[in-house]
Amino acid sequence: MKYLYLICALFVATTTKAQSAKDTLLLADPTIFYEDGQYYLYGTSSNKGFPVYQSSDLVNWHGPTGKGEDGHALLMGDSYGTSKFWAPQIFKNKGKYYMAYAANEDVAIAESDSPLGPFKQKTIKAVSGPVHQIDPYIFKDTDGKLYLYFVRLQKGNRVFVAPLKDDLSDIDTASAKECVNSSLPWETTAHTKWPVCEGPTVIKHKGLYYLLYSSNDYQNIDYAIGYATATSPMGPWTKNPTNPIIDRHLVGFNGTGHGDVFTGKGGQLYYVMHTHYSNTKVQRRKTAIIKLSFTKDKPAALVADKDSFRFLVK
């Protein structure tokens, strides 16, 4: 009888493990938008655009729930792009919802009346730029001015910023400035000739701007997250001397990076990111969150709570 119990126990353990792996959400470059008690999760996962998932508690997720085909919030054909739909971000401004995203290795911004979409462009076009651009992030300062942070594919992946027009139709390319690139040892562990700095997210705390970014190629186990600070949204930026703040050594999983900061219920700050699928396999990348907080130092440091790290499951 004891052998029967052992076999049953092994079966349950194996089934539970398989079910857990099956149900882990597999969105790379993820972002979470929170409004009216609902969390909306988007990311790189479809060659047709961007599906969206929903949750009321950050634990139980369902979907895709988008208003487009197969639960997409943005569907190819309604907006710019025919391939490489990467790194979306949702931004609300004056009652409208905007999705900034990359497609065809260019940046585009689409509009909707709902976080569920459908996100569309009246005029299908990409944001202006002299080279390919990816990984957009819209930031609205306390004075109401809009800025677009993005990555130019220019002698590596480099983070730039430019003023964004009030109607979010385009950027002021003449005013674009480079913010950060990967040059430090932790940022270039593979010593590649094409250094990667990407996935920008910007938040403001007590008058200081914090620019979170990811360094190393996403396929590298050392893909990790650091931040830089500035007294202006246009920079200049100073990198945090204790970077990275999130990496495989902190959370125990390879390839941690390229996500977004969001504020949840109760004002809790989070970072949503992806990791490699396993220690031996990069794809498909898993979606996870971790709590962030500011220290009481002056200036405050941004730190991640390693004990709060967890994967998002459906």
Side-chain angles (χ1 to χ4, degrees), residues 23-35 38-45 50-56 58-66 71-73 88-90 99 115-116 258-260 262 271-274 286-289 311-314:
D23 288 348
T24 300
L25 288 168
L26 304 176
L27 287 82
D29 318 325
T31 186
I32 290 179
F33 176 77
Y34 175 68
E35 183 180 57
Q38 284 290 311
Y39 297 92
Y40 302 87
L41 169 67
Y42 316 74
T44 301
S45 63
F50 299 102
V52 54
Y53 295 81
Q54 283 182 257
S55 173
S56 60
L58 273 181
V59 176
N60 301 293
W61 291 88
H62 64 282
T65 59
H72 280 69
Q89 180 226 357
I90 304 300
M99 178 185 285
L116 299 176
H258 199 147
D260 195 2
F262 69 97
Y271 187 81
V272 58
M273 76 198 90
H274 68 240
K286 295 181 178 180
T287 311
I289 59 172
F311 290 104
L312 300 184
V313 297
K314 179 184 168 188

Side-chain angles (χ1 to χ4, degrees), residues 168-247:
L168 287 81
S169 62
D170 211 342
I171 60 172
D172 178 3
T173 54
S175 299
K177 290 184 179 181
E178 184 172 343
C179 301
V180 288
N181 61 67
S182 288
S183 57
L184 300 176
W186 77 267
E187 300 169 333
T188 57
T189 64
H191 307 291
T192 177
K193 293 181 180 179
W194 186 273
V196 173
C197 185
E198 59 188 14
T201 295
V202 175
I203 53 177
K204 188 177 183 180
H205 179 71
K206 295 185 176 179
L208 197 63
Y209 301 85
Y210 293 72
L211 166 60
L212 287 82
Y213 63 92
S214 297
S215 282
N216 292 301
D217 186 276
Y218 78 90
Q219 299 177 85
N220 188 336
I221 62 173
D222 293 320
Y223 197 54
I225 301 148
Y227 72 84
T229 58
T231 56
S232 162
M234 296 293 292
W237 299 90
T238 301
K239 291 180 179 178
N240 168 42
T242 59
N243 282 340
I245 63 166
I246 305 172
D247 64 2

Side-chain angles (χ1 to χ4, degrees), residues 53-199:
Y53 295 81
Q54 283 182 257
S55 173
S56 60
D57 57 10
L58 273 181
V59 176
N60 301 293
W61 291 88
H62 64 282
T65 59
K67 293 182 179 179
E69 178 184 330
D70 297 327
H72 280 69
L74 182 144
L75 192 64
M76 181 176 64
D78 288 341
S79 187
Y80 179 84
T82 57
S83 65
K84 299 180 179 178
F85 289 92
W86 299 338
Q89 180 226 357
I90 304 300
F91 177 78
K92 188 177 182 181
N93 191 51
K94 297 179 181 179
K96 288 283 188 178
Y97 301 87
Y98 296 86
M99 178 185 285
Y101 65 98
N104 297 17
E105 294 190 339
D106 294 311
V107 165
I109 301 174
E111 180 183 320
S112 176
D113 292 323
S114 165
L116 299 176
F119 285 89
K120 298 183 178 184
Q121 286 182 318
K122 294 176 182 177
T123 302
I124 294 181
K125 66 170 188 173
V127 168
S128 300
V131 296
H132 283 302
Q133 302 172 152
I134 59 172
D135 298 357
Y137 183 83
I138 300 171
F139 173 75
K140 186 175 185 177
D141 204 354
T142 46
D143 62 2
K145 292 182 180 179
L146 299 172
Y147 300 86
L148 185 71
Y149 295 83
F150 54 96
V151 172
R152 279 188 177 169
L153 307 185
Q154 180 177 297
K155 297 181 180 179
N157 288 19
R158 297 167 177 263
V159 176
F160 276 72
V161 61
L164 181 62
K165 292 183 179 180
D166 289 341
D167 63 359
L168 287 81
S169 62
D170 211 342
I171 60 172
D172 178 3
T173 54
S175 299
K177 290 184 179 181
E178 184 172 343
C179 301
V180 288
N181 61 67
S182 288
S183 57
L184 300 176
W186 77 267
E187 300 169 333
T188 57
T189 64
H191 307 291
T192 177
K193 293 181 180 179
W194 186 273
V196 173
C197 185
E198 59 188 14

Side-chain angles (χ1 to χ4, degrees), residues 17 21 218-223 247-256 274-286 309 311:
K17 183 177 180 180
Y218 78 90
Q219 299 177 85
N220 188 336
I221 62 173
D222 293 320
Y223 197 54
D247 64 2
R248 62 187 177 95
H249 302 293
L250 181 78
V251 303
F253 294 92
N254 292 342
T256 56
H274 68 240
T275 73
H276 289 178
Y277 185 81
S278 70
N279 286 341
T280 58
K281 185 178 178 181
V282 174
Q283 302 288 9
R284 289 177 60 194
R285 287 165 282 174
K286 295 181 178 180
F309 176 90
F311 290 104

